[in-house]
Amino acid sequence: MVSGANDAKTPPIVSLAAGGVAGGIEAFTSYPLEFAKTRVQLRSQKGIPTPRNPFLVVTQVYRKEGIRALYKGCAALVVGSIGKDGVRFLFFDQIKNSFADPETGTLSPLRNLAAGMTAGVVASITAVTPTERIKTALIDDARNERRFRSGLHATRVIYQEHGILGLYRGFAGTTLKQASATAFRMGTYNILKDFETKRDIQQSTLVNFGNGSVAGIVTTLCTQPFDVIKTRSQSAHGTSTVEAVKSILLDYGVRGFWRGTTMRLGRTIFSGGILFTSYEAAVKVIMPLYSGVTHTVGADAA
């Protein structure tokens, strides 16, 4: 299981709640880097090339538009991350519990990756694709047209113009990204954790953060092309996955599929550590509350 300071199985409701808390914290704290990465992956405006340095992007936007501009689309991402990480921790924990070795409580590396991939697909369908679509459209729209006043307004306009499919623009790219990213992120984290458990390495905040950061590096390098395709598909006006692939090749060639890697790498190292550390901490806080409630309900029923 993901959680973990103890060896007990994490109840589904605890996995869902702790994952949601961790996702919200991770999304908000690392959003400026996500903003910069998305700006770089979108098509450059004529005569206004986008710098590759994420800190330069952040600095330029801050000077021209203020701190609020760096959090354009943040609310959509935070809401999506609460749902996404709640769902994927829930499904990952349940899948892992089902297939884990009964004696050691661990999974093989391939089963770890398969569990993460399944959790990623479910998360993409239930939460990630529509919220990522809104976030990306808001960031793209803020560069020129500025017709979206807020996340809710953008959702309403996109739905009115394109229907429900408009909110699921980029579904293929997003699902490929989520399936692979969750497989590598959750899989790598748990492979490292299982390795440490077998060798009696004590889990701590520092160890959890380090494992999460390593998982972030592996995830970014393996899934960046899917992230670039997703961003192009979910721009303000939106394109199909095939059109997104063609536009990337036309603009930058094959190397374009790794555009924004530096920014995403910086974010995932940071956010991966925050995500898993927050999850472990949230489980420790929520478990006693959950145990107290179930004990009280059980006592009342008796």
Side-chain angles (χ1 to χ4, degrees), residues 56-187:
L56 187 55
V57 173
V58 170
T59 301
Q60 286 183 354
V61 172
Y62 173 72
R63 286 176 177 172
K64 292 179 181 178
E65 304 171 50
I67 188 68
R68 290 182 63 183
L70 292 174
Y71 278 86
K72 192 76 172 179
C74 181
L77 185 67
V78 169
V79 170
S81 293
I82 290 172
K84 170 190 72 178
D85 288 307
V87 167
R88 70 180 180 181
F89 272 107
L90 167 63
F91 275 85
F92 187 87
D93 277 354
Q94 298 314 301
I95 293 167
K96 190 171 183 190
N97 288 340
S98 299
F99 292 100
D101 185 296
E103 294 183 4
T104 63
T106 61
L107 282 179
S108 67
L110 282 178
R111 285 190 173 186
N112 261 311
L113 293 174
M117 187 174 294
T118 304
V121 171
V122 175
S124 177
I125 295 169
T126 57
V128 180
T129 301
T131 52
E132 280 282 335
R133 165 70 162 129
I134 298 305
K135 178 215 74 177
T136 305
L138 282 167
I139 292 174
D140 187 24
D141 178 73
R143 297 191 302 170
N144 39 46
E145 294 184 53
R146 303 194 179 191
R147 60 187 192 128
F148 298 146
R149 295 191 298 271
S150 65
L152 285 175
H153 181 246
T155 302
R156 189 161 57 248
V157 171
I158 291 171
Y159 179 76
Q160 289 172 347
E161 293 180 353
H162 306 288
I164 191 67
L165 292 180
L167 296 173
Y168 274 83
R169 180 78 75 177
F171 174 73
T174 303
T175 302
L176 285 170
K177 179 208 166 186
Q178 281 302 310
S180 56
T182 306
F184 283 110
R185 177 175 268 197
M186 308 288 271

Side-chain angles (χ1 to χ4, degrees), residues 215-268:
I217 294 172
V218 173
T219 301
T220 299
L221 296 178
C222 293
T223 65
Q224 186 64 17
F226 298 135
D227 190 62
V228 179
I229 293 169
K230 173 196 72 68
T231 298
R232 282 293 179 92
S233 297
Q234 295 179 329
S235 60
H237 294 285
T239 62
S240 68
T241 299
V242 173
E243 289 171 339
V245 171
K246 287 180 180 178
S247 72
I248 294 164
L249 287 171
L250 285 171
D251 288 349
Y252 307 111
V254 175
R255 292 179 62 184
F257 289 105
W258 274 267
R259 194 166 178 81
T261 297
T262 303
M263 299 175 201
R264 187 168 171 233
L265 194 58
R267 178 177 180 265
T268 51

